Amino acid sequence: TQLLEQSPQFLSIQEGENLTVYCNSSSVFSSLQWYRQEPGEGPVLLVTVVTGGEVKKLKRLTFQFGDARKDSSLHITAAQPGDTGLYLCAGGEAGSYQLTFGKGTKLSVIP
Amino acid sequence: GAVVSQHPSWVICKSGTSVKIECRSLDFQATTMFWYRQFPKQSLMLMATSNEGSKATYEQGVEKDKFLINHASLTLSTLTVTSAHPEDSSFYICSASHTDSGNTIYFGEGSWLTVV
């Protein structure tokens, strides 16, 4: 069974600060997806990374897939209160649509 | 982007009754759909994988006779919680795989179930 360790589990920061969320595994994933979920709603896909070393940017969010495809990070620059939510990483295996989820990082950005 | 819709968004039912939750892929065909359960402040827990035209594959510890899954078409999967108990109260989320976008999964909005 593949496991994804996500850290930190909780993060509370002031508006304007930067933060990084990490997703680590001992297993190799064919793809890594990041989701953001607000209370009472389903997760919304932010990005999919598939190539080792890949970096993708989405406005103030920067996503990186490790060279060995075992880890990933999400960096938010100048966090805004609207960034508040639960961030989930999920790893995909080759030939399967099933995802392995991390436990999530609950981010609170204080105005 | 691809859209997955769940219905109902929330439902309250009495103990002992059954309740059905629908998951539809609105603009694409999904041969595989997934059902998750989520408790407050926790991540998603995969319950079962639903394949169109065949029996669902359940994760360990999930009672298949209690959580009935039917994937009768390429755009619809249903989860029926039978003989519901208060401990079944939870947030249930489905997702569907979009074959044209690699390994990308799209999620429904989720369904809140409260059993009283």
Side-chain angles (χ1 to χ4, degrees):
Chain A
T1 302
Q2 295 183 305
L3 294 175
L4 270 174
E5 297 290 335
Q6 198 172 334
S7 63
Q9 190 173 355
F10 300 97
L11 191 55
S12 182
I13 62 172
Q14 293 291 133
E15 181 176 359
E17 292 184 349
N18 302 330
L19 67 111
T20 303
V21 178
Y22 299 93
C23 192
N24 297 294
S25 175
S26 58
S27 303
V28 175
F29 289 100
S30 63
S31 68
L32 203 296
Q33 299 176 14
W34 284 92
Y35 294 86
R36 178 168 168 267
Q37 184 182 24
E38 300 205 24
E41 298 181 13
V44 175
L45 179 67
L46 297 174
V47 78
T48 300
V49 285
V50 297
T51 305
E54 182 176 5
V55 176
K56 282 191 174 180
K57 290 192 174 184
L58 185 65
K59 296 184 179 178
R60 292 177 293 102
L61 277 61
T62 302
F63 304 85
Q64 185 165 8
F65 202 11
D67 291 340
R69 289 185 289 131
K70 293 182 178 181
D71 56 88
S72 181
S73 64
L74 157 61
H75 183 79
I76 301 179
T77 304
Q80 303 295 313
D83 296 328
T84 294
L86 178 68
Y87 289 82
L88 296 161
C89 65
E93 302 174 43
S96 170
Y97 289 108
Q98 191 166 317
L99 294 175
T100 299
F101 279 90
K103 291 190 175 181
T105 296
K106 185 165 175 55
L107 171 64
S108 297
V109 181
I110 303 166
Chain B
V3 178
V4 176
S5 178
Q6 268 181 255
H7 178 80
S9 298
W10 57 271
V11 57
I12 301 173
C13 71
K14 292 184 177 181
S15 289
T17 62
S18 296
V19 61
K20 180 185 288 185
I21 301 171
E22 295 185 346
C23 178
R24 294 181 185 272
S25 55
L26 298 184
D27 54 358
F28 66 100
Q29 294 184 330
T31 54
T32 304
M33 291 185 172
F34 302 90
W35 286 96
Y36 297 85
R37 186 173 180 178
Q38 187 176 30
F39 294 102
K41 301 182 181 180
Q42 295 186 26
S43 186
L44 305 175
M45 182 188 77
L46 179 65
M47 297 175 66
T49 302
S50 171
N51 296 297
E52 187 268 337
S54 65
K55 291 183 179 180
T57 302
Y58 290 82
E59 294 300 299
Q60 190 173 10
V62 178
E63 299 176 60
K64 62 180 180 180
D65 294 330
K66 180 168 184 61
F67 299 99
L68 301 179
I69 292 173
N70 184 282
H71 194 155
S73 77
L74 286 171
T75 59
L76 173 65
S77 176
T78 61
L79 167 67
T80 301
V81 182
T82 63
S83 187
H85 289 281
E87 54 264 34
D88 297 327
S89 299
S90 187
F91 191 49
Y92 292 88
I93 307 174
C94 73
S95 68
S97 58
H98 192 338
T99 56
D100 291 340
S101 59
N103 237 15
T104 299
I105 304 293
Y106 295 92
F107 284 85
E109 311 96 324
S111 300
W112 280 105
L113 170 63
T114 301
V115 184
V116 297

